[in-house]
DNA sequence: TATGAATGAGCCTTCATTCAT
DNA sequence: TATGAATGAAGGCTCATTCAT
């Protein structure tokens, strides 16, 4: 990594929690200056403009979340355990995975009507998130852990929606009581598909 | 209603879709000027500042959505029909109920970390939304439509989360394919509780 | 006094300390609204504009001060006592006579380069203030209290200047230590002219 | 001096007469823009806000006056001559030393009740101004020019007050007739203390 | 006489961006 | 690559004033 690439990456990492917390519109380049302690001019050496930086940061935030989820999931081998690990990951998402909440929801709601580029990025990640759930279940069916006739594609969508809805609730509530219910419900739905 | 109250209400109505679509931070008072064709000074006759206006508009948007949902629900008497009407209401929410998407999600995600007043407002409405679902089911149990041992309080939370997650998906996707799955799943869950 | 004249006078009285404390430029019509609890329109019924009101208030403040000084002076008959009462009046002027300090100095410094009308008003009162001192001394000479060859016209100017300079010092200092020195000095100068 | 420091100083110099003439409240940043021909944004590169600029300008104006007075005083060596030079300096102050009049009086009267920071600054300079007079006299006493028992500390205060009062009079009057009287009186008071 | 809604110019300040060094 | 001075449009807001009621 050249010096330039390093600085660029540094800017992205420092900007990520700010954009995710305040939103793109409410984040000023001066916020990035303060967080990186870089000069105004320096920022523009690495990014054409705020929109450019925001796009990279959106990717970074979503990727960071995906990596953390996968890390957790991959610490298990049994498909059921992997699925449960996925659900449990969001149990305390009020505080942990990425500062500022779920980037899909944050940037998705901000961009849906106003920023086609970011809207498309978020859509891709929403789809691949459901894909991850599907992949786990497919493996489970191949391993004989889950029933072969499970309509798991629909479940993947339902599970993803429930988790996102849960994230909204717990972030606005400030506690995760309702996410526990969602977690329990999802696990029960999975248990019914065990062979 | 005095002239002033009329103007104030007019400003709120014209501002509502703008705030809901662009977000609070990205909405400028000049946007409101353009939408209302009122002068800058006139806006400040009726609202102390942008934050004050935003707070009223957030309430208005959430209330508007709630009223539309209730109107739909109340066109039915049978608890099952009422519940199904609730779910169906969001089937095409990509376009209809309130311009710009679900205000609970839009303002909730924008405000969760940055605006305590609005966060609390959204939290109240999220809770009462689940309360509406609970009320319908309670009536259904009293009427003997639903099983008495249904853990309906948890279902209300699950249903709410699924619908919100679904709204995120369809707004980012630009189509409601996934909401159909959610709708179907919710209805199946209800059917299992019929007496 | 008609109702209108009463209201007009009421506005002036309530505005006086505000203008004298904050200055004309820094006083907003909304400050007057708050102080009088009158509506915006009502203010403009009684005064053409802010400048008009300010001019009347400047007069009022200076007249109020003059009256208070004269009241104090007139509680004595002997010329020396009258002069000393005049000097003593300003000993604690840090707090008392008119809220906000000496209006001649306040409005004089604000208006000297920018408001010809007010500048002229202040100039008149500055002159008549020295006239008051001259009048007292003339009476004292007639009464045989003061030496007939006293160059009292110059003394009147010197005394006035010293008092105004003293007011500046004590208002900026927040205490009247230096005014005591000025007071003592003035009295000594008078004592030398006693017959 | 870096480019930035140069510009900052340039802004201060151009702003100084404007603030001193119109007052802080009545001076708009657009006035500074016009006087410096700098852009609005550029002003805020060098000063956090108007208050910050005003504080620096107040210092600059008072320092400028002090320097000019000291230059005049220092062109003499004999204590009596130095004192007379000090008094003469203000004889034509209606036009000369600093555009807009005495900054101690201008900013002192504007700030006394409303701006603690500036009030304190002015107070410091008022005190050191009297200190200058005291220093001259102390030297004169050491040199045997003035009587050793002169209560010169009180005189310093009296002289300062008389000059400030005189400045008020001549600025409001538009001519310096009264300052001539004050000048003459001060010189006579000094003459009485010659050995 | 009194009200308060309406106005638009102007206020201070922040913004994203550019560019010479 | 990095700096920070410079820009000017745009931001939220306040101002003095007008006018229909």
């Amino acid at each position: 990594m050249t010096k330039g690439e390093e600085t660029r990456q540094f800017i992205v990492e420092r900007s990520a929690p700010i954009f995710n917390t305040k939103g793109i519109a409410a984040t000023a380049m001066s916020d990035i200056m303060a967080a990186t302690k870089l000069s105004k001019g320096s920022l523009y050496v690495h990014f054409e403009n705020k929109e450019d930086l925001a796009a990279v940061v959106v990717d970074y935030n979503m990727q960071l979340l995906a990596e953390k989820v996968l890390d957790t999931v991959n610490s298990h081998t049994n498909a059921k355990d992997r699925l449960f690990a996925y659900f449990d990951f969001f149990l305390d998402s009020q505080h942990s995975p990425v500062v500022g909440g779920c980037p899909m929801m944050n940037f998705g709601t901000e961009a849906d009507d106003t920023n086609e580029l970011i809207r498309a990025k978020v859509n891709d990640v929403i789809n691949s998130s459901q894909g991850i759930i599907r992949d786990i279940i497919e493996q489970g069916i191949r391993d004989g852990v889950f029933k072969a006739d499970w309509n798991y594609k629909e479940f993947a969508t339902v599970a993803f929606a429930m988790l996102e809805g849960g994230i909204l609730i717990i972030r606005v509530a400030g506690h995760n009581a309702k996410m526990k219910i969602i977690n329990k419900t999802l696990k029960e739905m999975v248990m019914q598909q065990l062979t």
Side-chain angles (χ1 to χ4, degrees), chain A:
Chain A
M1 215 163 30
T2 69
K3 181 84 186 302
E5 283 166 344
E6 243 171 51
T7 305
R8 185 182 157 99
Q9 187 57 20
F10 172 74
I11 294 170
V12 171
E13 283 166 22
R14 291 297 177 101
S15 306
I18 304 175
F19 275 103
N20 201 41
T21 304
K22 306 179 71 169
I24 297 171
T27 297
M29 290 305 275
S30 60
D31 293 331
I32 310 304
M33 285 173 64
T36 58
K37 274 160 189 165
L38 286 169
S39 69
K40 197 144 268 197
S42 195
L43 259 32
Y44 280 89
V45 168
H46 297 286
F47 297 93
E48 256 192 30
N49 50 40
K50 179 179 155 178
E51 208 184 334
D52 182 16
L53 171 59
V56 174
V57 164
V58 166
D59 278 337
Y60 175 83
N61 269 316
M62 294 194 299
Q63 207 173 318
L64 192 67
L65 175 60
E67 277 169 21
K68 288 192 177 187
V69 177
L70 283 179
D71 276 1
T72 304
V73 165
N74 287 335
S75 67
H76 299 270
T77 49
N78 179 280
K80 192 205 80 174
D81 293 341
R82 287 161 67 86
L83 224 38
F84 279 28
Y86 193 113
F87 302 154
D88 288 344
F89 179 86
F90 293 98
L91 248 188
D92 57 354
S93 76
Q94 165 198 5
H95 305 111
S96 77
V98 189
V99 178
C102 175
M104 285 177 273
M105 187 152 50
N106 289 337
F107 299 121
T109 54
E110 181 169 5
D112 55 4
D113 294 308
T114 57
N115 189 320
E116 171 53 23
L117 176 72
I118 289 180
R119 200 219 93 249
K121 281 175 185 295
V122 175
N123 194 43
D124 286 349
V125 178
I126 286 181
N127 285 330
S128 66
S129 294
Q130 295 168 60
I132 290 171
I133 300 178
R134 283 197 302 268
D135 289 347
I136 296 173
I137 300 178
E138 278 173 9
Q139 175 221 332
I141 291 176
R142 275 197 310 274
D143 294 351
V145 173
F146 297 131
K147 293 178 185 165
D149 65 346
W150 187 6
N151 191 343
Y152 69 91
K153 289 186 182 168
E154 293 193 347
F155 176 77
T157 293
V158 166
F160 176 83
M162 270 172 68
L163 290 170
E164 286 298 318
I167 289 171
L168 173 62
I169 295 174
I170 70 182
R171 286 197 62 79
V172 171
H175 59 78
N176 70 345
K178 295 294 165 77
M179 186 59 105
K180 288 178 184 165
I181 295 170
I182 288 163
N183 181 273
K184 195 186 76 174
T185 304
L186 282 170
K187 286 180 180 172
E188 286 167 359
M189 291 170 88
V190 170
M191 295 297 276
Q192 286 171 14
Q193 303 298 332
L194 287 178
T195 50

